[in-house]
């Protein structure tokens, strides 16, 4: 107790001379933030048997304190002000932008910025229906925030369904380390709207054709999203498997204006539909041969001529590790190509949407197993399944899994500890702001809020270790 008192006395003194933030974790499960959030005052009781710490109008006995954390570096804080909506606590519309000003406190973790003007709106599909809303940021010109490369568009992921607030970050970190095609950058941050705390969020690049995401020439290339929303202006169903193929980028109507002598939007769509269907047909040959247990004939099922196999292997390995079934629906499954024709290959990626992965799904109220389903068509859409049936796939997969397990995985376990410690205060605040939990047996289980950060992260880390063991067993048995 005496050591805790001396430490607290020293830390409070630091508030007057440094930019330290101090978090006092309490035995009642709550915590107090000092430094940027306010000052503290130490008082002795008359009988001198205890010490009282005063936080504004609240007094706390020293014996009620569990631990104290001090940090000179913290997650950045994004302060949004809506001039035309001063009473708003968050965005309520994902169709219409509203004007905003952004001030960024880098908290010594990254650069700070003030007075940035931008437009904001809601975003997401299933996540938009949840209480804590994701958001899209759009600047008038390319702007760098939080050390990101300059871009006009950013995304704030809410991670409401993920009580660890780490699933998206973990998958995106592994995607970067594996070299998954066009892996996006990310950064945890606290978000405040009109002076009120909105929650802990994950800032990321917005997926699209640009220098910070899919860096190809938009006049010749295309970014495709396969997703059952099927809500983009230019789209088609694939010839064989009727996959919902949408042109995510570029905007064909804008290209028609920029290149008036070029193909019309409908002509561009027809070209890409023909190109995709040709690639799908070759992948189907590989799938048919695999299902029939026969070898491919010369010139048949040469998937590697149409798809970049390295990108396919890394992508499927990542989703297998995270046990992300969304691409099987399909949903949020991306691929891109620099230009139509056989001189270029489809690359699989970027990776996206992991907030309900890593064993967070619940089927019929029963926890999900660590093993992937035996039938790969359950979690791989038909195109990716056929690609995985290529004789070229499994040797590459085994090689990449060995690299992942020996090189990336040990570093991942250390990163999880570091990252979870970094976000812990923000996670606890998020849990206080969003205490609601839900348990929908048809979709997702969320037994607690983000406040129980250490327990949430420990469960995630334990599942990851068991998951890697299960993946190793699958590889040893000749599969994945």
């Amino acid at each position: 107790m005496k050591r805790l008192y001396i430490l607290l006395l020293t830390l409070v003194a630091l508030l007057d001379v440094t930019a330290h933030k101090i978090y006092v974790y309490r035995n009642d499960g709550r915590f107090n933030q000092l430094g940027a959030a306010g000052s503290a005052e130490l008082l002795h009781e008359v009988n001198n048997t205890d010490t009282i710490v005063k936080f504004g109008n609240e007094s706390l006995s020293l014996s009620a304190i569990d631990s104290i954390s001090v940090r000179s570096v913290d997650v950045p804080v994004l302060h949004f002000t809506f001039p035309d909506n001063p009473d708003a606590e968050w965005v309520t519309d994902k169709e219409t932008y509203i004007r905003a000003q952004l001030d960024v406190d880098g908290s010594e973790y990254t650069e700070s910025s003030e007075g940035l003007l931008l437009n904001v709106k809601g975003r997401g599909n299933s996540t938009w229906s949840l209480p804590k809303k994701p958001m899209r940021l759009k600047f008038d010109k390319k702007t760098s925030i939080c050390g990101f490369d300059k871009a006009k568009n950013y995304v704030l992921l809410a991670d409401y369904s993920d009580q660890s607030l780490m699933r998206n970050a973990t998958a995106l970190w592994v995607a970067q380390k594996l070299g998954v095609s066009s892996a996006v950058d990310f950064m945890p941050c606290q978000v405040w709207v009109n002076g009120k705390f909105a929650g802990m969020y994950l800032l990321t690049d917005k997926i699209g054709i640009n220098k910070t995401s899919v860096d190809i020439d938009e006049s010749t290339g295309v970014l495709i999203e396969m997703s059952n929303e099927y809500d983009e202006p230019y789209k088609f169903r694939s010839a064989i498997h009727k996959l919902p193929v949408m042109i995510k980028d570029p905007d064909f109507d804008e290209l028609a204006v920029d290149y008036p002598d070029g193909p019309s939007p409908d002509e561009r769509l027809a070209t890409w539909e023909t190109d995709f269907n040709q690639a799908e047909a070759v992948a189907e040959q590989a799938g048919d041969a695999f299902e029939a247990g026969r070898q491919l004939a010369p010139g048949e099922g040469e998937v590697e001529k149409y798809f970049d196999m390295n990108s396919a292997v890394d992508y499927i390995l990542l989703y297998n590790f995270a046990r992300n079934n969304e691409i099987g629906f399909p949903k949020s499954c991306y691929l891109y190509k620099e230009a139509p024709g056989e001189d270029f290959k489809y690359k699989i990626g970027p990776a996206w949407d992991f907030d309900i992965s890593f064993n967070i799904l619940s089927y019929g109220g029963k926890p999900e197993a660590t093993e992937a389903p035996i039938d790969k068509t359950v979690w791989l859409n038909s195109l990716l399944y056929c690609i995985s049936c290529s004789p070229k796939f499994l040797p590459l997969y085994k090689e990449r899994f060995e690299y992942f397990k020996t090189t990336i995985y040990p570093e991942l376990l250390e990163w999880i500890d570091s990252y979870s410690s970094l976000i812990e205060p923000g996670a606890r605040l998020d849990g206080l702001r969003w205490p609601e939990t839900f348990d929908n047996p048809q979709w997702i289980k969320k037994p607690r809020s983000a406040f129980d950060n250490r327990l949430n992260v420990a469960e995630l880390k334990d599942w990851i270790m068991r998951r890697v063991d299960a993946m190793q067993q699958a590889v040893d048995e000749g599969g994945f």
Side-chain angles (χ1 to χ4, degrees), residues 35 47 56-57 62 65 106 137 252 269 347:
N47 59 16
N57 295 325
L62 191 63
I65 295 176
L137 317 181
F252 283 174
L269 180 65
K347 291 188 176 182

Side-chain angles (χ1 to χ4, degrees), residues 82 85-91 192-194 196-198 433-434:
F82 300 159
N85 306 83
D87 297 325
E89 297 185 15
W90 198 235
V91 292
W192 293 69
V193 174
N194 289 330
K196 297 180 181 178
F197 181 65
R433 174 65 179 83
W434 302 104

Side-chain angles (χ1 to χ4, degrees), residues 18 22 71 75 117 128 147 151 166 179 229 233 246 255 260 274 281 303-304 329 345 355 360 371 451:
T18 71
I22 300 172
R71 54 182 71 192
V75 298
L117 300 179
W128 179 250
M166 287 194 61
E229 277 80 25
M246 301 185 292
L255 286 184
T274 298
V303 177
E304 66 277 7
F329 295 157
K345 299 179 182 180
D355 54 346
I360 204 170
E371 295 80 10
F451 186 86

Side-chain angles (χ1 to χ4, degrees), residues 165-203:
L165 300 179
M166 287 194 61
R167 283 169 167 79
N168 267 310
T170 300
L172 295 178
W173 185 90
V174 173
Q176 291 180 352
K177 294 295 181 178
L178 267 177
V180 171
S181 294
S182 301
V184 302
D185 285 332
F186 65 93
M187 184 174 293
C189 57
Q190 293 185 22
V191 172
W192 293 69
V193 174
N194 289 330
K196 297 180 181 178
F197 181 65
M200 191 75 179
Y201 282 76
L202 193 68
L203 178 70

Side-chain angles (χ1 to χ4, degrees), residues 10 48 55 65 94 96 100 102 134 155 187 219 227 258 271 288 309 317 329 334 353 365 394 410 413 421 443 477:
T10 303
N48 202 31
F55 303 92
I65 295 176
K94 73 171 188 173
T96 306
L102 172 62
V155 168
M187 184 174 293
S219 68
S227 192
D258 295 338
T271 296
D288 285 345
M309 293 300 290
L317 173 58
F329 295 157
Y334 292 94
D353 203 359
L394 194 55
L413 297 180
S421 176
W443 181 35
E477 293 174 354

Side-chain angles (χ1 to χ4, degrees), residues 248-454:
K248 189 68 176 179
D249 226 4
D251 186 320
F252 283 174
D253 291 327
E254 290 183 358
L255 286 184
V257 175
D258 295 338
Y259 302 95
D261 296 330
S264 70
D266 289 338
E267 289 171 335
R268 288 183 184 274
L269 180 65
T271 296
W272 282 110
E273 183 172 2
T274 298
D275 190 85
F276 184 93
N277 286 337
Q278 182 179 14
E280 181 189 48
V282 174
E284 175 70 4
Q285 293 172 355
D288 285 345
F290 179 84
E291 292 289 342
R294 65 173 177 82
Q295 291 186 340
L296 290 167
E300 181 189 21
E302 296 178 319
V303 177
E304 66 277 7
K305 287 187 176 182
Y306 294 85
F307 297 93
D308 181 277
M309 293 300 290
N310 289 324
S311 71
V313 166
D314 288 344
Y315 186 88
I316 291 175
L317 173 58
L318 170 64
Y319 279 74
N320 193 17
F321 162 65
R323 208 182 190 293
N324 188 336
N325 298 343
E326 295 231 313
I327 54 175
F329 295 157
K331 184 177 173 66
S332 301
C333 183
Y334 292 94
L335 61 158
Y336 63 92
K337 193 176 181 182
E338 295 178 63
E342 296 183 7
D343 292 337
F344 301 92
K345 299 179 182 180
Y346 283 98
K347 291 188 176 182
I348 315 300
W352 189 248
D353 203 359
F354 290 84
D355 54 346
I356 58 171
S357 57
F358 294 99
N359 200 41
I360 204 170
L361 285 177
S362 175
Y363 295 110
K366 296 180 180 180
E368 199 174 29
T370 56
E371 295 80 10
I374 295 175
D375 181 0
K376 293 191 291 290
T377 60
V378 171
W379 68 279
L380 290 178
N381 62 63
S382 53
L383 177 64
L384 293 181
Y385 171 75
C386 289
I387 291 174
S388 75
C389 292
S390 166
K392 306 287 185 182
F393 181 86
L394 194 55
L396 285 174
Y397 180 92
K398 291 181 177 180
E399 179 182 322
R400 291 300 283 168
F401 175 72
E402 179 66 21
Y403 173 76
F404 165 77
K405 186 174 181 181
T406 59
T407 303
I408 298 175
Y409 176 52
E411 186 180 352
L412 170 63
L413 297 180
E414 294 181 1
W415 176 85
I416 288 174
D417 292 338
S418 175
Y419 186 89
S420 62
S421 176
L422 173 67
I423 69 170
E424 181 178 9
R428 287 177 177 253
L429 280 173
D430 189 278
L432 295 174
R433 174 65 179 83
W434 302 104
E436 300 92 342
T437 61
F438 58 91
D439 189 359
N440 182 340
Q442 299 305 316
W443 181 35
I444 188 171
K445 55 181 183 295
K446 185 182 179 185
R448 65 184 75 91
S449 75
F451 186 86
D452 298 300
N453 173 261
R454 296 178 188 180

